[in-house]
Amino acid sequence: MKLGQDKADQSFATPVRRRFAARLSILTSIRSKFILIGALGAACAALLVGGINYISLTNATRDTAEAELKARAHLVAPAIRGLFDDMRSMLLVIANSSSVRTFQRLQSGYFIDPAETMSSAQWKTEVEELFLAFLSQNPHITQIRLVGIENGGRELVRVDNYGGFFRPTQQDDLQYKGDRPYFRAALGVDDGDVYFSPVEMNEDNGVEDRNSIVIRALTPIFGEAFERFGFIVINAHFGEMISRGLAPLDLDEDLILVTRTGDYLQKRHGERAKFVFRGLARAKAPTEARLLHDAFAAGQTRFLDIDGVESALHMDQVSFSSSEIRIGLHRPLADLLAIGADVRNQSIVTALLAALFLREPFTRWRVAAIALGFTGVLVILRPGLEVVHPASLVVLVAAVGYG
């Protein structure tokens, strides 16, 4: 009797257990689905936040890169402007020197102190010595002259720089410059002012010298009755002058200078400057030089392809009497954005070093975050099959050292 009752109880319990197990299985399945949905949601949220942070950091890095490039460009403009200020100061010092003034008075026939024993020829020698002193201190200056107004603008005193050898010009070899454009343009310059000519080939005895591309600075000399007596004229080799002025800056960026007349000076980082007279008329003129000449916008940064590399170009200018020099400072965009890549590298390296030396847990989520960050580094740096420049390794070494 009791045995039959036990069998009946067991037969009743079995369906109940089965129903309970089924319900429990359903609940477990629902719970697993909720967990899966939650995990997927968390992953999507992490990716979304990571993507937003990546975009924000990239934009911030780009803005920082533009600001850094702009700041570097602002060092170039004052350096070039300083070169013209130096020429201006040199001119005014020479024009107001006692030797030039006394020689001018003797040439004009003004009354001279009876105690003065030196002749006009001797004072001419004094002026030549003054010119020689300035030439020896300024290797980019190729010529200093005193040119008179009368007699067709004939040179009265002239000293040349022949590659470091300085030679005064003999009286019979002095030339007439009254028909030269720079001479006529300077006739309207007031006392104490300076006129800068366009960049052009030097002309000697009517023959242009393609190896001597100069810019001239002139200041007038007036007599005691405020009449124009003549000009002090300085010729400077344009390419050498600019290279000399920019050398102390030690620029990491590439530089391009363009004049209004279509000349350009190109200086790649680590290379010597190359000046090309009327270079924009040539088919192989650099892209950035054409942009500076045709679509110039002072103070702006443009992003363009330069020699197959996406680069940032900041534009500035220096203006002077008859023209202006447009300045372009440019650098590959990847190099500028490497600042942000360095930040990501530091995070990645720090996590790896913490796992190796501090036994920090290395979870799947951390691995996923590191992988996402490294992907961002690759997106910015975009490595290719070309040869890796040794400077590119500096960022990696710095990241390891900092991490």
Side-chain angles (χ1 to χ4, degrees), residues 2-49:
K2 186 176 181 181
L3 182 59
Q5 183 66 35
D6 290 340
K7 290 181 177 181
D9 292 341
Q10 289 177 3
S11 63
F12 175 78
T14 299
V16 173
R17 289 175 180 173
R18 289 176 179 174
R19 287 195 297 271
F20 178 77
R23 290 176 181 175
L24 182 61
S25 176
I26 294 173
L27 291 175
T28 302
S29 177
I30 294 175
R31 181 185 176 189
S32 299
K33 291 179 180 178
F34 275 115
I35 292 174
L36 180 60
I37 293 173
L40 290 175
C44 292
L47 289 174
L48 179 62
V49 172

Side-chain angles (χ1 to χ4, degrees), residues 98 158 337:
S98 59
R158 169 176 164 178
L337 294 181

Side-chain angles (χ1 to χ4, degrees), residues 296-318:
F296 179 76
Q300 290 190 7
T301 301
R302 298 278 182 87
F303 297 92
L304 68 159
D305 185 284
I306 298 178
D307 297 333
V309 178
E310 186 178 3
S311 304
L313 171 72
H314 185 78
M315 296 176 282
D316 209 336
Q317 68 178 355
V318 172

Side-chain angles (χ1 to χ4, degrees), residues 130-383:
L130 177 66
F131 290 178
L132 284 168
F134 278 98
L135 283 171
S136 63
Q137 296 299 317
N138 298 274
H140 59 283
I141 302 297
T142 62
Q143 190 180 87
I144 302 180
R145 294 171 287 166
L146 171 57
V147 182
I149 294 288
E150 297 182 356
N151 197 17
R154 193 184 187 201
E155 298 170 336
L156 301 175
V157 184
R158 169 176 164 178
V159 180
D160 292 283
N161 177 4
Y162 295 99
F165 175 72
F166 310 109
R167 189 184 70 184
T169 301
Q170 299 300 315
Q171 185 69 27
D172 293 340
D173 295 329
L174 295 173
Q175 303 173 32
Y176 298 89
K177 300 296 181 179
D179 61 340
R180 300 288 287 137
Y182 66 84
F183 184 93
R184 295 196 299 268
L187 289 173
V189 177
D190 295 329
D191 187 21
D193 290 341
V194 173
Y195 169 78
F196 290 98
S197 73
V199 178
E200 56 188 0
M201 286 187 289
N202 189 42
E203 183 179 307
D204 201 8
N205 288 316
V207 179
E208 292 183 332
D209 183 0
R210 292 186 173 275
N211 296 318
S212 180
I213 309 301
V214 300
I215 185 168
R216 299 179 180 87
L218 298 86
T219 192
I221 297 177
F222 288 83
E224 293 186 0
F226 302 104
E227 78 282 8
R228 290 181 184 272
F229 170 77
F231 301 101
I232 296 293
V233 185
I234 293 179
N235 288 16
H237 190 286
F238 183 74
E240 291 184 10
M241 181 180 75
I242 298 298
S243 298
R244 181 182 176 87
L246 296 179
L249 297 182
D250 191 23
L251 296 172
D252 293 328
E253 299 81 7
D254 293 341
L255 176 71
I256 189 81
L257 303 180
V258 174
T259 68
R260 188 178 295 172
T261 51
D263 321 296
Y264 71 83
L265 182 142
Q266 186 178 37
K267 187 181 186 309
R268 301 289 192 185
H269 175 58
E271 299 178 5
R272 291 179 58 86
K274 179 181 69 174
F275 180 76
V276 183
F277 182 68
R278 303 296 187 261
L280 291 182
R282 304 183 182 184
K284 294 184 178 180
T287 302
E288 61 271 29
R290 294 194 184 281
L291 177 65
L292 284 174
H293 188 266
D294 300 334
F296 179 76
Q300 290 190 7
T301 301
R302 298 278 182 87
F303 297 92
L304 68 159
D305 185 284
I306 298 178
D307 297 333
V309 178
E310 186 178 3
S311 304
L313 171 72
H314 185 78
M315 296 176 282
D316 209 336
Q317 68 178 355
V318 172
S319 299
F320 51 95
S321 305
S322 61
S323 189
E324 64 186 12
I325 297 177
R326 295 175 177 178
I327 305 168
L329 200 65
H330 61 91
R331 195 172 182 180
L333 189 58
D335 289 354
L336 293 171
L337 294 181
I339 301 171
D342 189 26
V343 174
R344 295 181 180 85
N345 280 338
Q346 290 171 5
S347 302
I348 295 171
V349 173
T350 301
L352 293 174
L353 294 179
L356 290 174
F357 297 104
L358 301 179
R359 305 301 181 188
E360 288 286 337
F362 214 54
T363 64
R364 287 178 295 177
W365 295 109
R366 182 167 292 182
V367 173
I370 290 175
L372 182 62
F374 186 68
T375 301
V377 174
L378 295 179
V379 169
I380 287 181
L381 297 181
R382 288 177 294 180

